Amino acid sequence: RKEVEQDPGPFNVPEGATVAFNCTYSNSASQSFFWYRQDCRKEPKLLMSVYSSGNEDGRFTAQLNRASQYISLLIRDSKLSDSATYLCVVSGNFNKFYFGSGTKLNVKP
Amino acid sequence: NAGVTQTPKFQVLKTGQSMTLQCAQDMNHNSMYWYRQDPGMGLRLIYYSASEGTTDKGEVPNGYNVSRLNKREFSLRLESAAPSQTSVYFCASSVSRAAYEQYFGPGTRLTVT
């Protein structure tokens, strides 16, 4: 079983739509959670950390559900520039980090 | 301020050849990492260096060696390349092992035939 699982998508949405991705993790002892963004043929870049209380950064909201072992990312008012692959990252034992395989988002005009 | 740089950007090797991937960071970070990214697999940690002078195995270390040459540089060596090592390789750095934001280099696209 993979440490981190994501729906690969693609999610095809029109500009202005709201879209949500989930990511499940297998290790209940995981302490840290993140969303990274990766553009095509580029390196990953940190989008936001995910805190127990949830957090919001502009149009982006991240939530953590420890009981069900998943994290979510909500994007409101999608822009063309949001088209990318979104990677879920979860910490494991001994500060090792596990990356999901990513969810691809296509925002259409 | 270049961040994390990697060389080369592209490489084609024949099975059995060796090569070294170079990585350097100018952010004075203590920790550095090597990942590989394969379709449908996500990024997998090959080796990491928590601080200058230390290196540790990650999830998929077989077939690779690393050297933390100094605080800035962390190289990855393939001694005898195999087709299974065809992948995109990313180097990353962070302030410390306990600091969670990792900054990635642009990647090296390696093909082994």
Side-chain angles (χ1 to χ4, degrees):
Chain A
R1 183 181 174 188
K2 289 183 181 179
E3 294 279 344
V4 179
E5 302 218 42
Q6 295 183 249
D7 181 343
F11 285 61
N12 298 307
V13 302
E15 270 187 292
T18 295
V19 61
F21 313 133
N22 282 346
C23 159
T24 59
Y25 60 94
S26 61
N27 185 352
S28 60
S30 297
Q31 294 296 317
S32 305
F33 308 88
F34 313 90
W35 285 102
Y36 277 70
R37 171 194 170 127
Q38 186 173 24
D39 293 301
C40 187
R41 300 181 73 79
K42 297 286 190 182
E43 70 272 24
K45 293 184 180 178
L46 180 69
L47 178 67
M48 58 197 308
S49 302
V50 187
Y51 305 121
S52 296
S53 56
N55 51 308
E56 187 173 314
D57 183 2
R59 298 181 293 109
F60 298 85
T61 300
Q63 297 281 352
L64 168 63
N65 186 317
R66 284 193 182 274
S68 300
Q69 293 182 211
Y70 75 86
I71 66 173
S72 63
L73 178 67
L74 180 79
I75 305 175
R76 289 181 297 279
D77 189 22
S78 298
K79 311 291 185 192
L80 294 175
S81 56
D82 294 334
S83 296
T85 296
Y86 291 85
L87 307 176
C88 170
V89 183
V90 175
S91 71
N93 295 329
F94 306 106
N95 285 325
K96 288 186 179 176
F97 293 92
Y98 296 95
F99 283 74
S101 53
T103 297
K104 188 171 173 59
L105 172 65
N106 295 318
V107 181
K108 309 287 190 183
Chain B
N1 194 343
V4 181
T5 57
Q6 290 182 236
T7 55
K9 285 189 167 49
F10 301 94
Q11 184 72 49
V12 179
L13 291 178
K14 292 189 187 328
T15 297
Q17 287 185 316
S18 63
M19 77 162 296
T20 300
L21 281 65
Q22 306 286 355
C23 174
Q25 51 90 11
D26 62 2
M27 296 175 283
N28 201 36
H29 285 171
N30 290 306
S31 300
M32 298 185 73
Y33 316 82
W34 277 105
Y35 292 90
R36 59 178 288 174
Q37 185 174 33
D38 303 295
M41 298 290 291
L43 278 85
R44 290 182 293 169
L45 183 64
I46 305 171
Y47 271 93
Y48 68 96
S49 171
S51 60
E52 187 179 355
T54 68
T55 60
D56 285 287
K57 295 178 181 179
E59 197 181 345
V60 288
N62 291 345
Y64 305 95
N65 284 302
V66 290
S67 294
R68 183 75 183 266
L69 303 169
N70 47 54
K71 192 171 185 180
R72 290 187 63 248
E73 299 172 287
F74 189 37
S75 63
L76 178 72
R77 183 158 178 84
L78 287 70
E79 290 291 351
S80 179
S84 61
Q85 294 178 305
T86 293
S87 189
V88 181
Y89 291 85
F90 288 103
C91 177
S93 71
S94 64
V95 171
S96 72
R97 194 74 180 100
Y100 303 127
E101 179 168 9
Q102 297 185 18
Y103 294 82
F104 285 81
T108 295
R109 283 174 169 72
L110 175 67
T111 301
V112 184
T113 61

